[in-house]
Amino acid sequence: MGRYILKRLVSAVPVLLGITVIVFAIMAMIPGDPATAILGSYATPENVEKLNRDLGLDKPAVQRYFIWLWNMAQGDFGRSFSLNRPVLDEVLDRFGATLVLAGTAFVLCSVLGVAAGVVSAARQYGLADKAITFAVLLGISIPSFFLGMMMILIFAVELRWFPASGMWPIYGDRTVLVLMKHLAMPALALAVVATGVVARLSRSAMLEVLRQDYIRTARAKGVPERGVIWRHALRAAMVSILPVLGIQAGFVLSGAVYIEMVFQWPGVGRMLVDAILKRDILLVQGGVVLVAACYVMFNIVVDVAQSLLDPRIKT
Amino acid sequence: MSTLALLARNRLALAGLIVMGLVVVLALLTPVLPLPDPDVTNTGNRFVKPFSEGALLGTDHLGRDQLSRLMWGTRLSLAVGFAAAAIAAVLGAAVGIVAGYYGGRVDNLIMRGVDMLMAFPYILLALAIVAALGPGLLNALIAVAAVNIPFFARNIRGITVGIANKEFVDAARLAGMNDARIILGEVLPNVIPVIVIAMSTTVGWMILETAGLSFLGLGSQPPQADLGSMLGEARAALITSPHTSIVPGAMILVIVMAINLLGDGVRDALDPRLRSGALTRPMAATLVRREGPVPEPVGDDVLSLRDLQTQFHVKQRVYRAVGGVSLGVKPGECLGIIGESGSGKSVTALSVMGLVASPPGVITGGAVHYKGEDLVGAPYGRLRDLRGREVAYIFQDPLATLHPLYKVGDQLVEAIRVHHAISNKEARAKALSLLRDVRIPNPESRLDSFPHELSGGMRQRVGIAMALANDPEVIIADEPTTALDVTVQAQILSLLDTLRREKGLAIVFITHDFGVVAQLCDRVAVMYAGRIVEEGPTRALLEAPAHPYTSRLIACVPELGGGKRALHAIPGLPPAVDDLPPGCAFAPRCDKAQPACREGEIALETHGARKLRCLFPETELEGRA
């Protein structure tokens, strides 16, 4: 197992490098002159030229890429001009908030989605199945940002159950309970779409598995139906559900952008949108690379979980 | 059934189609409708509530007419969403077809790139692209299209690989057609359904994603507004004037939901697997819909079937898989059921414990008596309690019938513990002794093996051990040796024979092989088209088969050392059990058939120890009862 994890980690290196290449290539497409963008259109040519030199923008793109990569390897992601602080500090400050939000949403969508899918498949064409199928359809069709706004209207403004925005109150204690109150609505709004996707897939994976011969064997042994569904069928269905959970992790991680905007959540997503509007390229690059790297790492965890689940996978 | 008809039959998809059609028509008509200019501001008239005079949906924070903005915004959102879907589909399909068609290094290189792009959470990728191109609706469109290209490319490559290796493509190549003509003429038409499915399931996403980018202020720029930016602008006034948010948000929801409904319908209509209705899950026990009286138990058989009828109901058709079968087995006895595939022998066996997949299986008549208790009418709980404890099964292919993800030992332990409240440790000890009973070498280490780590013969021994786990009275073995090679088959048969003698088991043995029957069974019943045509003691039946079908079936068995003897395959095929001929079902293939064979019911008559359903038997049987 240790060797398998190591192997997967090694195989992630080219993917991570590829991600840096893609991010850099996209940013290199920027029309016009970044220095002008920074200094504004009234800058003197001398100042623009000086800034270009300071930023290393007078060098060829390939060379610039390797300098950027080498600096990142040493923990230097450059400096955000709009915030005037190191990119890495800013991203790391905000990354925790995003992880709390996306992590909670991920747990919600995995647990609720799989459970809904299993119940739906076990009661195919029954009332529960129909209700879940409809809820799923609604869930995957509603824009998460609209859902978030409606939740604020209902649960924060009307009912006053939850605070409307932010991660922490301006005054008061920072306890887990306070965090949970702030987290409930954004995490749920973020999880809804992913839950729908997971539930759909879980349902069809379960239907596929329930037709297999080994399910008939379990029934022939006299295993109660609950055990047939949750122990025999779900275990086998998880083999095809897990990869989708991996994809949904990426979805909640990046979809957090919308939710962070709606709920004023102090995460990476909001930072990225601000950075894009201010054309703070280094900050965008750093943020995107770190979030993408986090996603790649999470998918290694998924792969390892998959190999633990399915003994037929060669480790 | 045609694709369109299927789509129309799906009521939800139809609803989606109607709503979507309505929205599209309205969007197309927007420029000619008598609407106020969507961009004219009137700050004196801000946040007018809906259903007011002159503004049906009210006005927004700049006093602009909401209805007009909604219509124009819908128009824009639809256009952008569909354009993004079309671009992604065309480019993705092109990439996928090239990769799949040329294969080799081209494929490798392209798919590496695609995998790399898919390693990105795709909203992040879209943000990066917009960051580079700058905010704007066109740029948002490009970004959303771009991040969806890998998805299309991967899907379509998979299909293309399959098509590129088909005979008709080889034929086109041999005919001297060039690659471009083959791709456009042979490959593309076969890929289009996949493209349509992929588009119909993603266009909703693309509308959501572009709306999302606009919502963030990265898409359409003021004063032009799509639904997303309307929502984004309204957010500041969410609490004071919620209607400005609800109007565009609800519209996005309606559009995307209609598209998703329609997309599901399209997928169902185009996906042949769903068309056959194959994706239904079997219920915990076979459905029972008995008409007519329930037969009373007779005799001292431990298990007896009385006039059992099991059917498969597929849409309008009724397949009579088991058409009234009566059988019995005594303790310590082995009864063989033999017949070709499709003769209903497995369905008969599975009906005993309600294990016929349902839907489509339905038990429509007769009874199964276990020690005098009717199992067909028994509630599920009782059936479950008897399954494995009193009547156990051994199935054909142990690789498919053992759970692939659980260790052999755990599966045995479970079989024991569902019926006995004992500790895990005790159950494990029992599992170990079971593996010894079925002569598995190194049983201690085998407990921790997964099924795929065992050989076919070992797996079937595990299957037998599992059947023995609760010392059942009856074992039903459904072709347990068919998937095994001959030497292993002989070992398994002798193991079953020993176990039967040691434990006094009653065995019902399903097979299509007379050689196996001769080795193991005391009595044998021959099935054809869902009914028993002949039954009797094995030796007597083998030496003097009375039904023409039995004798033909015996003639099919090659004999070792029998010299060069022509093998007599039976001409023709067994009849479809949804359309049985009147009279003898074998008559169309029988060379002794007379007109009388094709008229009316032929009864299964008892002749001493034997039973026969034939008017012109090969051998005259004595002692007609």
Side-chain angles (χ1 to χ4, degrees), chain A residues 26 121-122 124 141 149 200 208 211 213-214 216-217 219-222 225 231-232 235 250 258 261 279 295, chain B residues 119 131-132 209 216 235 260 264 273 278-279 281 283-284 380 384 387-388 400-401 403 406 411 414 419:
Chain A
I26 292 173
Q124 193 187 16
S141 304
M149 288 162 73
R200 259 189 171 197
E208 187 67 44
R211 294 161 51 222
D213 286 349
Y214 50 82
R216 189 184 58 196
T217 307
R219 287 183 172 145
K221 277 178 2 183
E225 196 56 16
R231 218 166 38 237
H232 287 256
R235 173 87 180 241
Y258 304 127
M261 291 298 280
R279 317 223 68 187
Y295 176 53
Chain B
E209 290 318 322
L216 296 176
R235 193 164 64 90
N260 283 339
D264 289 350
R273 229 162 47 113
L279 267 185
R281 57 101 186 75
M283 294 188 298
Y380 164 72
R384 203 225 91 219
R387 283 176 180 176
T401 54
H403 198 294
Y406 284 108
Q411 301 194 41
E414 186 193 32
H419 293 298

Side-chain angles (χ1 to χ4, degrees), chain A residues 149, chain B residues 61 229-239 241-242 244-246 248:
Chain A
M149 288 162 73
Chain B
H61 61 291
S229 57
M230 280 178 78
L231 199 52
E233 286 174 27
R235 193 164 64 90
L238 171 66
I239 294 168
S241 297
T244 51
S245 301
I246 293 172

Side-chain angles (χ1 to χ4, degrees), chain B residues 340 548-549 552-553 556 568-573 586 589:
Chain B
E340 289 169 279
Y549 177 65
R552 300 299 293 263
L553 209 55
C556 284
H568 300 283
I570 308 176
L573 290 169
F586 187 62
R589 299 167 78 188

